[in-house]
């Protein structure tokens, strides 16, 4: 298991995250049942893992805009090769992002990354796709000008 993953031992984790809205709690249970207990919780989203994808579930209604932002930035086509592929789906009326799963190298030498990785708003959250290309996996707060 990598440093980005946690195992949900019981439902306390989900209950604390979704204490403000039961529809997010119910979605969390649904995704937990489908994808299992290996997850990562960020500041705005909980991430579930399938074989080929990560599923980014917003923690509340405010957090949904991060999924929408990532989707629109990817779909804009601007520097598309630098972003992990994604699609936006609705589950029970909630915007959920399904993104290609990248290989995360926790031992990465940041000096060897392309220069554009140093200008990411939310840090160097990059990984490798199946072809070995470096892509960003968390770009909800990026602005197009950062990756020019």
């Amino acid at each position: 298991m990598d440093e980005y993953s946690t195992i949900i031992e019981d439902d306390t984790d989900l209950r604390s995250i979704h204490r403000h809205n039961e529809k997010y709690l119910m979605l969390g249970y649904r995704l937990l049942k489908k994808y299992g207990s290996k997850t990562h919780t960020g500041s705005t989203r909980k991430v579930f893992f399938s074989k080929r994808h990560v599923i980014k579930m917003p923690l509340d209604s405010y957090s949904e805009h991060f999924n929408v932002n990532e989707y629109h930035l990817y779909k804009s086509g601007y520097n598309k090769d630098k972003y992990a592929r994604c699609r936006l789906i609705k589950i029970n009326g909630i915007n959920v992002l399904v993104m290609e799963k990248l290989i995360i190298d926790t031992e990465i030498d940041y000096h060897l990354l392309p220069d554009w990785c140093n200008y990411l708003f939310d840090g160097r959250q990059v990984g490798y796709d199946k072809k070995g290309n470096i892509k960003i996996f968390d770009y909800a707060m990026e602005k197009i000008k950062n990756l020019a």
Side-chain angles (χ1 to χ4, degrees):
M1 181 176 324
D2 60 41
E3 68 181 272
Y4 297 102
S5 301
T6 57
I7 298 294
I8 298 174
E9 299 293 336
D10 57 34
D11 68 357
T12 306
D13 183 43
L14 284 173
R15 285 185 184 282
S16 65
I17 290 167
H18 306 289
R19 64 189 172 274
H20 299 297
N21 194 319
E22 189 167 328
K23 80 175 186 175
Y24 294 93
L25 176 63
M26 298 316 295
L27 176 59
Y29 283 130
R30 182 176 175 183
L31 294 175
L32 180 63
K33 184 177 181 181
K34 182 171 184 172
Y35 297 108
S37 61
K38 183 180 178 185
T39 65
H40 169 70
T41 303
S43 59
T44 63
R45 299 178 283 190
K46 177 169 275 306
V47 178
F48 294 85
F49 302 90
S50 74
K51 282 187 176 184
R52 296 186 346 222
H53 298 97
V54 296
I55 297 81
K56 296 183 176 186
M57 182 192 90
L59 301 180
D60 52 34
S61 59
Y62 171 77
S63 302
E64 282 191 61
H65 81 273
F66 290 107
N67 283 350
V68 173
N69 287 352
E70 277 187 354
Y71 174 73
H72 285 299
L73 190 54
Y74 175 74
K75 291 306 280 184
S76 76
Y78 186 82
N79 282 320
K80 197 171 188 174
D81 61 324
K82 292 181 178 155
Y83 301 115
R85 291 185 322 270
C86 67
R87 68 184 188 274
L88 192 66
I89 62 173
K90 280 207 182 265
I91 302 176
N92 296 346
I94 298 171
N95 288 307
V96 175
L97 195 76
V98 178
M99 182 177 279
E100 78 176 298
K101 190 182 213 178
L102 300 180
I103 299 164
I104 310 298
D105 182 359
T106 57
E107 303 293 321
I108 197 165
D109 182 351
Y110 290 111
H111 294 94
L112 300 178
L113 290 175
D115 192 48
W116 60 263
C117 293
N118 295 318
Y119 300 100
L120 299 176
F121 183 86
D122 206 13
R124 296 181 191 122
Q125 297 191 57
V126 297
Y128 298 93
D129 68 9
K130 291 185 285 187
K131 295 179 181 177
N133 299 311
I134 296 174
K135 293 184 175 183
I136 310 165
F137 62 84
D138 188 353
Y139 48 89
M141 299 179 71
E142 291 304 317
K143 295 195 181 346
I144 289 176
K145 64 179 178 142
N146 289 353
L147 300 177

